[in-house]
Amino acid sequence: MKFSRSGVWLISIVIVLLLQGCVRVDIGEHAPTLGDQLLDLYEARELGAITEAEFERLRRRLVSSI
């Protein structure tokens, strides 16, 4: 079976519309990685925003969540 160019485009659009609910497209910011979160903790500790005890508690929670 041979399709014209407009027929191929129409079929392509219909397929995309049907699959639209099945495909997830992330737009915007990415979820922070474990490394990103650990670096944020290190920085907060270095800046004095959190204490050493808070740093350790939060670090352990992050590491155990993986």
Side-chain angles (χ1 to χ4, degrees):
M1 178 183 286
K2 188 167 180 142
F3 294 103
S4 67
R5 242 178 218 227
S6 61
V8 171
W9 276 106
L10 180 60
I11 291 171
S12 300
I13 291 171
V14 169
I15 290 171
V16 167
L17 290 174
L18 289 174
L19 293 177
Q20 186 175 2
C22 301
V23 178
R24 179 179 172 181
V25 177
D26 287 330
I27 299 174
E29 294 187 30
H30 70 285
T33 65
L34 175 61
D36 291 335
Q37 292 174 332
L38 288 172
L39 288 173
D40 288 344
L41 277 180
Y42 285 117
E43 185 177 349
R45 181 184 64 180
E46 293 300 312
L47 293 173
I50 60 174
T51 65
E52 184 67 31
E54 290 171 319
F55 169 80
E56 279 301 320
R57 181 179 53 81
L58 293 169
R59 185 190 63 77
R60 283 189 193 118
R61 186 187 314 170
L62 280 174
V63 171
S64 69
S65 70
I66 57 171

